[in-house]
């Protein structure tokens, strides 16, 4: 299939630009596409659209030819397998001195309880290999290390069966290139498989070239676009800064310059003849007496005289006999009411112990007392409250003697409101005098208007100045009369000559209209247009170099835009889609729907693979519900177990398109599954381990037993490790399964190792230190006897962590268990129990010495050796 696809892609490339054909040739050959190579493609791409180079040698593009050598050399790809991880640093709390070893073939199981370090190793592989979800950067032991620098590890791998150079891995955003063929799957990847559109993970030989070619195109486009962006920022001609009227033909021609503009035409327009140069002088002279400019001057003069006229009018109105009489009457009324208020105060409060009762300050105090009484003190009584038990609102003393009468008199005074009327009358006088004060009648305040009037009519100017001075004197006499009460010396408003000022304003208005019409005459407008065009050509002659540069810039921009269009990846994506549908997607779809779902027991929910629109040379697919009513997402319907299994099926389906048999890594693939699905997943993964390395991280002891059972049944090489932790570190690597997953012989081996250590403690340390060690050994020995009953005596008919009873195995134990077997098992179990439980103080039986313990272990080992032939 690879040769067919490759040949079709090469033939398709003949319709692509030559530089893309060259890029495809290099990709097929496996050449490194470096930044220098991209720069070469940029030069080829620009050269293809007519870009002129003066200082660079343009490489000649070499198209690809579908010869047999290329097709044969690309026939297959080697598989990649993991061998070991060691020297891990800054990876959670993993111990740095551990080596996690994997067998190159078959099934590798890494068991670890929660907190044992399993996730730390899994994170390293997730970040280093290909994964749908790579997770976040790995953190160190944040309780003991500063977060400085990335996590690191040394990873050993094989490629095509040969050991490759060891990788000094560092955590980064992209996977390790050498390990890209190894695939990782966990619960985060499962979410993406069932909720997002995914690109085909593995592509047959040839199809991987199209995404790579699209990536080359994107990089070339990025470089060219960056160059175009720089050109877009260049501004050779700043129209707004040129002194050219926007209405001229020259301005419009400059404004519409493009890459096809003719520079010679601009150069010809910019040349002025001697006659045209003289004509500019003539036009400037003819238009120098500008009516429009003069009309604006007249309008300004009119405004100044109008301002003066407004002052005169306001002065006449404010200083009229009627206004003077109004002020005089208001002053008399205020004086009368003030005297009445003073009399009322004097007569009412002349015998009071304190002065100024009835004054403004006193009134404020009285009103405050009123509010306090009505709101808080006596809200249900009228003010002032002077009844029984009444108290002063300020000192809170009881009202005694003449105090109630005084309160009543005070309130009567306030209610009569004599003082209030006096205040109002005084305020009225103040307002009238204030208006007089705002009159703008000082000559210095009207200096600009008076100066303007003097230029037009000097005699009228003198009259108006005298008028303003007399108005000032009249205002002073009014102020004086208000204070003294003598109004007989107050004069009248002087003669204003207002009519003469109005005539001047009318004359200026007429002159303005005449000048305005003159500035709008057709003849003058035509002369101005002629001058503007000639002056614009003069300016054009000074910027011809900029015009030339701008046309050249726009030509380059157009060529770069064409070059960018030639990097478009749509055709690549379309071709990739067609080839993927033909050679890949149908195969993945069939594998997913007909095989993987069935293998994993997914039959309650109907899901299918559907093709999705691709991007940049890649084809994408997504998992959807089949024949569901409405736009319902699979993730909104599936249970957690179904979700995990379907995602796993999608992941395994991609393997159908894999060009090699590289490793697969699974991190807790069955954490949310029940026994039925766990067993099916175990069988499927073991089946996959027949043809490639499969690595499984798990904390599920039941799943571990299912895997080992399936591996034994299918005769698949199974390598089991278990991880443990100490008080300070995690990820300590141990050979074999954890205790609960060990078979009898493995347990006996572990007990012997523990006895070796206990023997050393017994000989070199204290007896007290030896006691807990030997107790632990007898506890394990007793449990091993129990395991021996399941595994050997009962021939694994019934096993813990295994579903169902193996009735076919009963025939090997029929009439084969003797009384000696019962006695041996019972006596050895009792002996173990003796040393596990506390004895009575008076017995004080000592613990067995190492040689005695070794004898007890030998009893079990001998019994097992004698029993196995009877089972076979």
């Amino acid at each position: 299939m690879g040769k067919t696809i490759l040949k079709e892609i090469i033939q398709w490339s003949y319709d692509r630009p030559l530089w893309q054909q060259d890029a495809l040739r290099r990709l097929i050959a496996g050449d490194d596409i470096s930044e220098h190579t991209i720069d070469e493609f940029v030069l080829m791409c620009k050269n293809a659209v007519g870009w002129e180079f003066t200082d660079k040698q343009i490489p000649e593009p070499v198209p690809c030819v579908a010869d047999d050598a290329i097709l044969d050399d690309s026939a297959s790809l080697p598989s990649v397998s993991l061998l070991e991880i060691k020297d891990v640093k800054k990876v959670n709390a993993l111990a740095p001195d551990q080596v996690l070893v994997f067998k190159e073939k078959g099934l590798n199981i890494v068991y670890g309880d929660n907190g044992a370090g399993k996730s730390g190793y899994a994170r390293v592989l997730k970040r280093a290999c290909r994964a749908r979800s790579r997770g976040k950067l790995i953190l160190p032991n944040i309780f003991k290390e500063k977060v400085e620098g990335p996590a690191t590890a040394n990873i050993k791998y094989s490629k095509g069966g040969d050991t490759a150079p060891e990788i000094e891995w560092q955590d980064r955003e992209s996977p390790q290139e050498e390990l890209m063929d190894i695939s990782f799957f966990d619960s985060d990847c499962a979410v993406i498989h069932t909720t997002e559109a995914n690109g085909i993970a593995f592509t047959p030989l040839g199809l991987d070239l199209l995404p790579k070619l699209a990536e080359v195109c994107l990089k070339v486009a990025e470089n060219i676009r960056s160059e175009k962006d720089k050109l877009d920022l260049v501004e050779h001609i700043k129209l707004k800064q040129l002194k050219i009227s926007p209405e001229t033909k020259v301005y419009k021609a400059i404004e519409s310059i493009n890459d096809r503009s003719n520079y010679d035409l601009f150069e010809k327009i910019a040349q002025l003849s001697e006659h045209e140069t003289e004509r500019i002088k003539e036009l400037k002279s003819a238009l120098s007496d500008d009516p429009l400019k003069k009309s604006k001057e007249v309008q300004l003069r009119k405004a100044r005289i109008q301002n003066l006229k407004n002052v005169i009018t306001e002065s006449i109105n404010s200083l009229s006999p009627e206004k003077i009489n109004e002020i005089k009457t208001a002053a008399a009324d205020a004086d009368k009411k003030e005297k009445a208020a003073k009399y009322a105060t004097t007569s009412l409060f002349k015998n009071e112990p304190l002065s100024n009762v009835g004054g403004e300050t006193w009134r404020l105090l009285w009103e405050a007392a009123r509010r306090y009484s009505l709101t808080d003190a006596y809200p249900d009584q009228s003010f002032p409250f002077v009844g029984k038990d009444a108290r002063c609102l300020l000192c809170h003393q009881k009202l005694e003697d003449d105090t109630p009468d005084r309160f009543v008199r005070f309130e009567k005074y306030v209610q009569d409101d004599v003082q209030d009327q006096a205040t109002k009358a005084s305020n009225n006088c103040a307002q009238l005098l204030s208006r007089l004060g705002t009159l703008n009648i000082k000559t210095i305040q009207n200096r600009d208007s008076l100066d303007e009037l003097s230029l037009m009519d000097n005699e009228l100017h003198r009259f108006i100045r005298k008028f303003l001075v007399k108005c000032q004197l009249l205002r002073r006499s009014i102020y004086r009369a208000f204070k003294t009460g003598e109004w007989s010396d107050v004069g009248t408003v002087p003669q204003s000559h207002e009519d003469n000022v109005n005539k001047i304003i009318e004359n200026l208005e007429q002159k303005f209209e005449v000048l305005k019409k003159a500035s709008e005459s057709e003849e003058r407008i035509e002369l101005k247009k002629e001058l503007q065009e000639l002056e614009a050509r003069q300016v054009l002659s000074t910027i011809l170099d900029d015009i030339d540069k701008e046309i050249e810039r726009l030509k380059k921009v157009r060529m770069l835009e064409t070059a960018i269009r030639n990097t478009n990846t749509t055709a690549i994506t379309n071709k990739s889609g067609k080839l993927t549908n033909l050679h890949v997607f149908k195969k993945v779809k069939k594998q997913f729907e007909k095989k993987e779902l069935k293998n994993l027991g997914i039959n309650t929910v109907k899901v299918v693979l559907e093709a999705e629109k691709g991007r940049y040379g890649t084809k994408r697919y997504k998992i959807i519900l089949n024949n569901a009513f409405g736009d319902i997402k699979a993730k909104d319907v599936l249970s957690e177990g179904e979700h995990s299994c379907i995602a796993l099926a999608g992941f395994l389906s991609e393997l159908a398109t894999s060009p090699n048999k590289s490793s697969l890594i699974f991190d807790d693939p069955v954490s949310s599954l029940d026994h039925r699905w766990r067993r099916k997943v175990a069988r499927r993964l073991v089946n996959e381990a027949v043809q490639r390395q499969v690595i499984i991280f798990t904390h599920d002891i039941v799943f571990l037993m299912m895997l080992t059972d399936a591996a034994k049944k299918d005769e698949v090489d199974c390598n089991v490790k278990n991880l443990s932790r100490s008080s300070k570190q995690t990820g300590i690597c141990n050979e074999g399964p954890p205790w609960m997953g060990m078979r009898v012989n493995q347990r006996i081996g572990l007990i012997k190792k523990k006895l070796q250590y206990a023997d050393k403690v017994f000989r070199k340390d204290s007896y007290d230190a030896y006691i807990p060690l030997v107790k632990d050994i007898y506890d394990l020995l007793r449990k091993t006897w129990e395991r021996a009953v399941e595994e050997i005596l009962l021939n694994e008919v019934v096993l813990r962590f295994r579903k169902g009873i193996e009735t076919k195995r009963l025939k090997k134990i029929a009439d084969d268990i003797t009384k000696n077997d019962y006695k041996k098992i019972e006596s050895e179990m009792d002996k173990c129990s003796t040393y596990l439980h506390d004895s009575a103080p008076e017995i004080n039986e000592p613990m067995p010495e190492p040689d005695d313990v070794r004898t007890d272990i030998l009893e079990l080992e001998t019994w097992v050796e004698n029993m196995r032939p009877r089972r076979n």
Side-chain angles (χ1 to χ4, degrees):
M1 181 173 68
K3 292 182 180 180
T4 303
I5 295 173
L6 188 56
K7 188 174 183 179
E8 186 173 347
I9 289 175
I10 293 172
Q11 291 176 342
W12 162 82
S13 71
Y14 296 153
D15 292 331
R16 306 303 300 156
L18 281 173
W19 66 270
Q20 288 189 25
Q21 297 182 44
D22 187 284
L24 184 61
R25 175 186 63 81
R26 300 192 197 198
L27 290 170
I28 293 173
D31 292 352
D32 179 36
I33 306 298
S34 62
E35 287 298 321
H36 173 71
T37 311
I38 295 297
D39 292 339
E40 287 186 335
F41 292 146
V42 170
L43 293 176
M44 295 179 194
C45 184
K46 289 167 63 178
N47 186 58
V49 296
W51 193 279
E52 295 183 4
F53 298 92
T54 57
D55 57 347
K56 292 183 179 179
Q57 185 68 31
I58 310 304
E60 187 69 27
V62 180
C64 186
V65 180
D67 56 36
D68 292 336
I70 290 177
L71 297 177
D72 288 343
D73 289 343
S74 306
S76 62
L77 295 175
S79 298
V80 179
S81 299
L82 286 174
L83 298 180
E84 65 180 33
I85 303 175
K86 63 181 180 180
D87 299 329
V88 291
K89 295 176 183 177
K90 298 181 182 179
V91 178
N92 307 155
L94 290 185
D97 57 349
Q98 298 296 300
V99 181
L100 183 58
V101 179
F102 306 102
K103 285 191 177 181
E104 187 176 7
K105 302 291 185 181
L107 182 66
N108 289 267
I109 306 172
V110 181
Y111 177 86
D113 290 325
N114 291 326
K118 173 186 68 67
S119 296
Y121 284 110
R123 288 187 183 110
V124 170
L125 295 178
K126 184 176 183 177
R127 298 284 296 171
C129 303
R130 187 193 75 87
R132 290 292 187 195
S133 170
R134 298 185 61 248
K136 298 179 181 179
L137 289 173
I138 299 173
L139 296 176
N141 186 348
I142 59 173
F143 300 105
K144 294 185 178 180
E145 297 181 68
K146 290 184 179 179
V147 185
E148 293 180 358
T152 60
N154 288 347
I155 301 176
K156 187 182 290 186
Y157 71 103
S158 66
K159 188 170 184 178
D162 298 325
T163 301
E166 192 172 277
I167 297 171
E168 294 182 357
W169 173 79
Q170 284 190 348
D171 193 10
R172 55 191 176 187
E173 290 302 322
S174 57
Q176 191 75 28
E177 185 176 353
E178 297 91 334
L179 305 179
M180 279 292 290
D181 285 337
I182 298 177
S183 300
F184 184 97
F185 181 88
D186 66 359
S187 58
D188 291 337
C189 299
V191 172
I192 294 176
H193 268 281
T194 55
T195 60
E196 297 183 14
N198 301 292
I200 301 295
F202 300 106
T203 52
L205 176 65
L207 273 183
D208 60 325
L209 295 171
L210 293 177
K212 292 176 182 178
L213 180 60
E215 186 178 351
V216 169
C217 290
L218 292 174
K219 289 181 178 178
V220 171
E222 182 182 357
N223 285 14
I224 297 176
R225 191 172 287 108
S226 176
E227 187 174 353
K228 177 183 173 295
D229 290 342
K230 292 178 182 177
L231 279 178
D232 287 339
L233 295 175
V234 176
E235 192 175 6
H236 291 298
I237 304 171
K238 298 180 180 179
L239 268 172
K240 293 181 179 179
Q241 296 180 9
L242 297 177
K243 294 182 179 179
I244 301 178
S245 170
E247 302 300 323
T248 61
K249 295 177 181 178
V250 173
Y251 185 97
K252 293 174 181 177
I254 296 174
E255 190 178 38
S256 60
I257 285 177
N258 57 55
D259 59 283
R260 294 180 178 81
S261 296
N262 188 343
Y263 169 77
D264 295 338
L265 182 60
F266 282 96
E267 190 176 36
K268 183 178 180 180
I269 294 172
Q271 294 176 358
L272 292 175
S273 64
E274 291 184 8
H275 171 71
E276 289 172 327
T277 304
E278 288 299 319
R279 179 61 176 165
I280 290 175
K281 295 178 182 178
E282 293 174 4
L283 290 171
K284 284 183 177 180
S285 176
L287 295 170
S288 59
D289 187 19
D290 189 353
L292 183 60
K293 183 178 180 181
K294 286 187 175 182
S295 69
K296 292 179 179 178
E297 292 175 357
V298 169
Q299 195 173 27
L300 181 60
R301 293 169 66 187
K302 176 195 167 188
R304 288 171 179 165
I305 303 301
Q306 181 66 51
N307 180 66
L308 189 61
K309 190 260 182 186
N310 293 340
V311 171
I312 295 171
T313 302
E314 188 177 1
S315 299
I316 292 171
N317 292 335
S318 298
L319 298 172
S320 65
E322 292 79 12
K323 287 292 182 181
I324 295 173
N325 188 56
E326 183 181 355
I327 295 172
K328 178 180 177 181
T329 302
D333 182 58
D335 182 62
K336 177 181 176 182
K337 290 179 178 177
E338 183 63 28
K339 289 178 180 178
K342 285 182 180 180
Y343 173 77
T345 303
T346 303
S347 60
L348 284 173
F349 310 126
K350 61 182 178 180
N351 296 324
E352 298 301 333
L354 298 177
S355 62
N356 204 26
V357 176
E360 186 63 27
T361 306
W362 178 89
R363 288 173 67 86
L364 291 173
L365 181 62
W366 185 256
E367 291 303 324
R370 179 195 304 276
R371 288 194 299 274
Y372 173 60
S373 177
L374 295 175
T375 304
D376 299 308
Y378 304 112
D380 298 329
Q381 304 292 334
S382 60
F383 179 79
F385 175 59
V386 294
K388 185 181 180 181
D389 297 329
R391 293 178 180 270
C392 176
L393 296 168
L394 297 180
C395 68
H396 294 190
Q397 296 290 329
K398 282 191 175 183
L399 301 183
E400 299 176 350
D401 301 331
D402 59 347
T403 303
D405 293 337
R406 181 180 292 114
F407 271 25
V408 173
R409 279 188 288 111
F410 285 175
E411 177 63 9
K412 183 177 184 305
Y413 167 75
V414 171
Q415 292 298 327
D416 288 347
D417 209 15
V418 178
Q419 182 62 48
D420 187 49
Q421 292 182 33
T423 301
K424 289 180 179 178
S426 177
N427 290 340
N428 184 40
C429 285
Q431 288 179 1
L432 293 173
L433 292 175
S434 176
R435 292 171 190 165
L436 271 184
T438 60
L439 280 177
N440 192 19
I441 55 178
K442 291 184 179 180
T443 54
I444 192 170
Q445 293 173 318
N446 298 279
R447 184 172 59 187
D448 291 344
S449 296
L450 289 170
D451 289 346
E452 190 68 52
L453 182 60
S454 69
L455 295 174
M456 304 176 67
D457 190 333
N458 195 39
E459 185 176 0
L460 181 59
H461 166 258
R462 288 198 303 272
F463 286 146
I464 298 302
R465 283 183 67 89
K466 289 180 181 179
F467 168 77
L468 293 176
V469 171
K470 289 180 180 180
C471 285
Q472 292 178 56
L473 294 174
L474 178 57
R475 183 168 61 181
R476 290 176 189 172
S477 66
I478 293 172
Y479 287 157
R480 189 168 51 251
F482 178 78
K483 290 180 180 179
T484 62
E486 293 294 332
W487 292 86
S488 59
D489 293 336
V490 175
T492 58
V493 65
Q495 185 180 358
S496 66
H497 298 277
E498 185 179 12
D499 292 341
N500 293 332
V501 174
N502 285 334
K503 288 179 181 179
I504 291 177
I505 292 172
E506 291 174 2
N507 290 335
L508 289 173
E509 179 65 31
Q510 292 173 1
K511 192 171 184 180
F512 170 75
E513 293 296 330
V514 171
L515 290 171
K516 185 178 177 183
K517 289 180 180 178
S519 68
E520 295 173 351
S521 67
E522 292 185 7
E523 182 181 357
R524 188 175 184 84
I525 291 173
E526 290 302 319
L527 292 177
K528 285 180 68 176
K529 286 182 179 180
E530 184 182 356
L531 178 60
Q532 287 174 346
E533 292 289 352
L534 291 171
E535 287 179 331
R537 289 170 61 192
Q538 273 187 327
V539 174
L540 177 62
S541 66
T542 65
I543 60 168
L544 285 175
D545 285 345
D546 291 334
I547 296 289
D548 189 27
K549 291 177 182 177
E550 179 63 10
I551 294 173
E552 288 302 313
R553 182 187 74 84
L554 292 172
K555 286 180 180 178
K556 290 180 178 179
V557 169
R558 177 176 57 81
M559 285 189 284
L560 292 179
E561 288 173 344
T562 304
I564 291 171
R565 285 195 293 273
N566 289 341
T567 65
N568 188 277
T569 61
T570 302
I572 300 174
T573 302
N574 290 340
K575 185 62 178 178
S576 175
K578 290 178 181 178
L579 290 174
T580 303
N581 277 334
L582 182 62
H583 299 288
V584 178
F585 182 70
K586 290 181 180 178
K587 189 173 183 179
V588 174
K589 182 178 175 67
K590 181 178 179 181
Q591 182 75 17
F592 176 76
E593 296 174 7
K594 303 298 182 183
K595 294 183 179 180
E596 297 300 344
L597 291 179
K598 183 178 180 181
N599 289 339
L600 295 176
I602 303 297
N603 49 27
T604 57
V605 179
K606 300 297 182 181
V607 290
V608 294
L609 278 186
E610 182 182 80
E612 185 82 355
K613 187 175 181 181
R615 291 183 70 239
Y616 305 139
T618 62
K619 183 68 178 179
R620 299 167 71 82
Y621 69 88
K622 63 180 179 179
I623 296 173
I624 65 167
L625 295 171
N626 190 28
N627 297 328
F629 290 99
D631 184 19
I632 307 299
K633 301 290 188 298
K635 66 182 180 65
D636 298 329
V637 175
L638 301 177
S639 68
E640 189 176 2
E642 291 168 335
H643 179 279
S644 298
C645 272
I646 289 172
L648 183 60
F651 174 79
L652 293 171
S653 297
E654 292 177 342
L655 303 180
T657 67
S658 174
N660 56 48
K661 298 297 180 182
S662 293
S663 299
L664 303 180
I665 304 170
F666 300 88
D667 182 22
D668 273 334
V670 296
S671 59
S672 60
L673 303 181
D674 61 24
H675 285 1
R676 175 173 59 90
W677 275 331
R678 282 193 218 183
R679 190 172 300 280
K680 289 182 180 294
V681 170
R683 288 173 182 168
R684 177 64 185 90
L685 298 186
V686 168
N687 178 259
E688 193 63 35
V690 173
Q691 54 186 337
R692 70 173 82 225
Q693 182 191 55
V694 174
I695 299 172
I696 300 173
F697 290 88
T698 184
H699 71 280
D700 189 332
I701 190 68
V702 176
F703 185 57
L704 170 64
M705 301 299 292
M706 289 177 176
L707 286 169
T708 54
D709 285 349
K712 181 180 178 182
K713 189 174 293 184
D714 292 349
E715 297 182 350
V716 173
D717 189 14
C718 183
N719 173 38
V720 182
K721 308 281 185 182
N722 75 88
L723 302 176
S724 59
R725 64 178 297 157
S726 66
S727 59
K728 296 181 179 180
Q729 294 177 318
T730 65
I732 299 172
C733 300
N734 305 293
E735 287 294 329
W739 173 261
M740 293 300 294
M742 288 183 180
R743 301 183 72 81
V744 170
N745 286 344
Q746 292 172 316
R747 292 189 176 194
I748 292 173
L750 177 63
I751 293 171
K752 286 181 176 181
K753 287 183 180 180
K754 286 182 175 287
L755 178 58
Q756 289 176 359
Y757 176 70
D759 194 359
K760 290 179 182 179
V761 172
F762 179 79
R763 299 180 190 281
K764 297 180 181 181
D765 209 336
S766 65
Y767 178 74
D768 289 340
Y770 168 74
I771 290 175
L773 298 178
V774 76
K775 278 193 172 186
D776 179 52
I777 289 173
Y778 274 104
D779 180 44
L780 296 179
L781 188 60
R782 186 179 186 281
K783 291 176 180 175
T784 306
W785 272 105
E786 292 175 352
R787 174 71 185 187
V789 170
E790 293 180 11
E791 181 182 323
I792 300 171
L793 184 70
L794 298 180
N795 197 30
E796 298 185 9
V797 173
V798 179
L799 283 178
R800 278 168 288 187
F801 309 121
R802 188 176 71 188
K803 182 180 179 182
I805 299 174
E806 297 282 345
T807 55
K808 292 182 180 180
R809 304 179 73 92
L810 284 170
K811 61 184 178 181
K812 290 188 178 183
I813 64 174
D815 302 325
D816 195 29
I817 302 175
T818 67
K819 290 183 178 181
N820 290 335
D821 292 325
Y822 298 143
K823 290 179 180 180
K824 171 60 69 176
I825 294 171
E826 188 173 356
S827 64
E828 293 300 323
M829 292 277 284
D830 288 343
K831 184 187 294 184
C832 292
S833 299
T834 300
Y835 302 126
L836 289 176
H837 305 298
D838 288 338
S839 302
E842 59 273 12
I843 298 176
N844 195 23
E845 184 175 347
M847 297 300 290
E849 294 187 0
D851 288 342
D852 296 325
V853 178
R854 192 172 288 107
T855 300
D856 290 336
I857 296 172
L858 184 60
E859 288 288 339
L860 171 61
E861 194 170 18
T862 303
W863 182 84
V864 170
E865 289 176 358
N866 292 331
M867 195 70 186
R868 285 198 186 279
R870 293 158 60 185
R871 291 290 166 262
N872 294 331

